Amino acid sequence: MKPAAGAEEDTAAQARARILAVIRAIPRGQVMGYGQVAAKAGLPGRARLTARVLGMNDDPDLPWHRVLRSDGRIAMPEGSRGWREQNQRLRAEGVLMERGRVKHMPRGGGDDLDAAVWGPG
């Protein structure tokens, strides 16, 4: 049996809120991949959902620029206004970039990020 439409909307809103919480907790000067964000939000395998949530973002304070492809590349077309802005924001935070790619992309989520999102222990 399918959940009622209202229940699906609640679930979608909860998933969105969890994704946004993870993104807000990414420390300045650090980055995560779309899939890493989804996994930290308890939504493994939902990298595209992370991208969709970011695409609908209207919060100017959300550090959207800290979310990249899993290989460390900026997801926007190279040279586009958004690509240039993301590159500039990351460099301003001290992230080492080379041709639109983070030089040292973390492979897994860190314990520090877990603590920032979910609190101690």
Side-chain angles (χ1 to χ4, degrees), residues 27-112:
R28 181 178 174 81
Q30 294 185 28
V31 296
M32 288 183 78
Y34 290 94
Q36 290 172 312
V37 170
K40 286 287 181 194
L43 302 160
R46 304 295 308 269
R48 288 183 180 178
L49 178 59
T50 299
R52 193 166 34 246
V53 167
L54 279 172
M56 297 183 320
N57 175 55
D58 59 357
D59 178 359
D61 296 325
L62 185 74
W64 59 270
H65 59 283
R66 297 177 187 154
V67 183
L68 303 167
R69 291 180 176 178
S70 62
D71 64 358
R73 289 185 299 143
I74 292 172
M76 291 178 244
E78 188 170 347
S80 68
R81 194 177 105 204
W83 186 93
R84 290 191 311 270
E85 181 178 352
Q86 188 169 10
N87 195 356
Q88 179 183 16
R89 285 177 178 227
L90 290 169
R91 286 177 185 272
E93 292 185 356
V95 176
L96 298 176
M97 302 289 294
E98 188 173 291
R99 294 189 308 272
R101 178 181 248 153
V102 172
K103 288 191 91 165
H104 303 289
M105 181 70 175
R107 286 291 169 205
D111 292 336
D112 293 341

